[in-house]
Amino acid sequence: MPDLKDILGNEVLKDHFRTALQQNKVSHAYIIEGERGSGKKMIAAAFAKILQCETRQAQREKEGTDLTEACGTCASCIQVEHKNHPDVIWVTHEKPGVISVGEVREQIVGTMDVMPYKGPYKIYIVDEAEKMNPAAQNAILKTIEEPPSYGIILLLTTNRGAFLPTILSRCILLSMKPVPDGAIRDYLVNHLHVPDQTAQFCVGFSMGNMGKAVNAALSEEFLELRQFSVSVLQYIHEAEPSTLAEQVKNLKKWKESVGDFLDILLMWFRDVLVMKLAGGENEIIFKEEYLYIKKQSQKLSFESLNAVFLEIEHTRARLRANVNYDASLEVLLMFIRDKCNDGGNT
Ligand SMILES: [Zn+2]
């Protein structure tokens, strides 16, 4: 688990925490918003680690100064690292889709009044906090409004819109930002020893999301999905409807990561667009598929390409709304195929 200083990018957020630590103005409630894989848990843990650090505590008592990094070696730091610090509570929930009022009462409201066991703070980290239903949010409200001096709640979320206005107005809102491409590439190449070409693909795919980049670089399952996607895309302009239907069936294997499939599609057609704008082989991400990309760039008009981008996003929205999986993807692939053949070479 990295320390604050080791977390890439997100300077604004890190500076916010550092200033709060330095000036001893740590708030009692934070909302950290960011997409999946953007590093919310990492930054929350790093912040909790500093707050609980015994070295920091000792320095504070002795010299009145506030360190803004954890020492990493005291017993407390090691416990936070291993996720077993008694005063850093990771709130859990049983059902995948909801954090219930019972869970909030049992894990947060009911224990907040108990003094911390060893650290100066009692820190609650609620991941996927958007899953707290209104009853659960109401249950936590009073704790957020009138916390004990040692109490800190970190709500991590992909969507701050899911919170009641009463919760929002009581919390400091912070957002994770995309990490610069160069920083992600350096990390993949120098720390994870990912080959340059793969790293370049992962950087493009991640759109600044570190978790996504690392997963794309290391996961066998993702590699398979990528290869499968390319096999679909190479010949999509001449595929028979029955072939596309067959491919959609095969895609079922990756049902959980269909968003990744759509992202790969977007990247592919971004390459087609780059090629159309007279880009060279070096400017595209799917370098090995250069010839296919080039061919499709001649078949798709700018207008058709734009329609393809829109249709990919529409499909994403449909799948989120639980519209039939096979049907949605078949419609999408057929749509792309037809656009490749509408003769628009402009
Ligand atoms: Zn420490």
Side-chain angles (χ1 to χ4, degrees), residues 65-84:
T65 52
D66 283 311
L67 295 177
T68 58
E69 285 292 343
C71 76
T73 51
C74 72
S76 173
C77 279
I78 288 162
Q79 279 184 316
V80 175
E81 187 85 20
H82 292 131
K83 274 187 142 181
N84 59 8

Side-chain angles (χ1 to χ4, degrees), residues 266-292:
L266 278 179
M267 268 175 86
W268 176 277
F269 288 103
R270 211 178 296 134
D271 272 2
V272 173
L273 177 65
V274 167
M275 191 68 80
K276 219 175 158 49
L277 294 164
E281 193 179 344
N282 284 328
E283 289 164 61
I284 62 170
I285 293 167
F286 289 94
K287 285 192 176 42
E288 285 167 26
E289 282 73 42
Y290 168 72
L291 287 174
Y292 300 96

Side-chain angles (χ1 to χ4, degrees), residues 118-331:
K118 58 180 290 190
Y121 298 99
K122 193 155 180 173
I123 303 167
Y124 294 82
I125 304 175
V126 188
D127 190 26
E128 304 183 307
E130 70 279 357
K131 291 182 177 167
M132 289 192 297
N133 58 26
Q137 291 187 39
N138 277 319
I140 206 183
L141 186 60
K142 195 164 174 294
T143 310
I144 288 180
E145 279 174 347
E146 294 163 22
S149 60
Y150 52 76
I152 295 174
I153 296 181
L154 302 170
L155 303 174
L156 316 185
T157 183
T158 51
N159 174 23
R160 67 170 72 170
F163 294 121
L164 299 171
T166 41
I167 297 272
L168 282 171
S169 67
R170 295 284 172 169
C171 295
I172 294 201
L173 295 167
L174 301 167
S175 302
M176 301 297 293
K177 293 280 182 281
V179 178
D181 286 356
I184 296 187
R185 194 177 46 241
D186 285 354
Y187 182 80
L188 295 180
V189 172
N190 298 327
H191 289 260
L192 302 181
H193 309 293
V194 173
D196 222 17
Q197 189 128 334
T198 310
Q200 210 175 333
F201 175 87
C202 298
V203 167
F205 174 75
S206 72
M207 305 278 280
N209 183 317
M210 197 67 196
K212 234 171 136 179
V214 171
N215 181 56
L218 303 181
S219 142
E220 199 61 37
E221 196 193 327
F222 181 83
L223 181 67
E224 277 178 34
L225 173 62
R226 177 183 160 183
Q227 284 163 345
F228 175 78
S229 308
V230 166
S231 73
V232 173
L233 286 161
Q234 281 174 335
Y235 297 107
I236 194 163
H237 54 279
E238 56 190 32
E240 296 294 333
S242 59
T243 309
L244 295 178
E246 191 61 33
Q247 285 167 333
V248 167
K249 269 202 197 100
N250 292 334
L251 255 175
K252 271 223 159 89
K253 195 175 154 195
W254 293 282
K255 200 165 178 176
E256 291 303 310
S257 39
V258 66
D260 289 347
F261 174 68
L262 296 177
D263 288 341
I264 293 173
L265 256 56
L266 278 179
M267 268 175 86
W268 176 277
F269 288 103
R270 211 178 296 134
D271 272 2
V272 173
L273 177 65
V274 167
M275 191 68 80
K276 219 175 158 49
L277 294 164
E281 193 179 344
N282 284 328
E283 289 164 61
I284 62 170
I285 293 167
F286 289 94
K287 285 192 176 42
E288 285 167 26
E289 282 73 42
Y290 168 72
L291 287 174
Y292 300 96
I293 302 262
K294 191 169 179 194
K295 183 163 201 175
Q296 289 179 11
S297 77
Q298 288 157 356
K299 284 180 159 288
L300 281 153
S301 66
F302 284 111
E303 203 186 340
S304 295
L305 255 178
N306 202 29
V308 166
F309 288 128
L310 284 174
E311 190 61 21
I312 293 172
E313 289 312 331
H314 285 155
T315 305
R316 200 189 299 274
R318 276 182 217 125
L319 290 170
R320 270 198 198 122
N322 285 322
V323 177
N324 183 287
Y325 181 84
D326 284 15
S328 302
L329 289 174
E330 255 184 76
V331 167

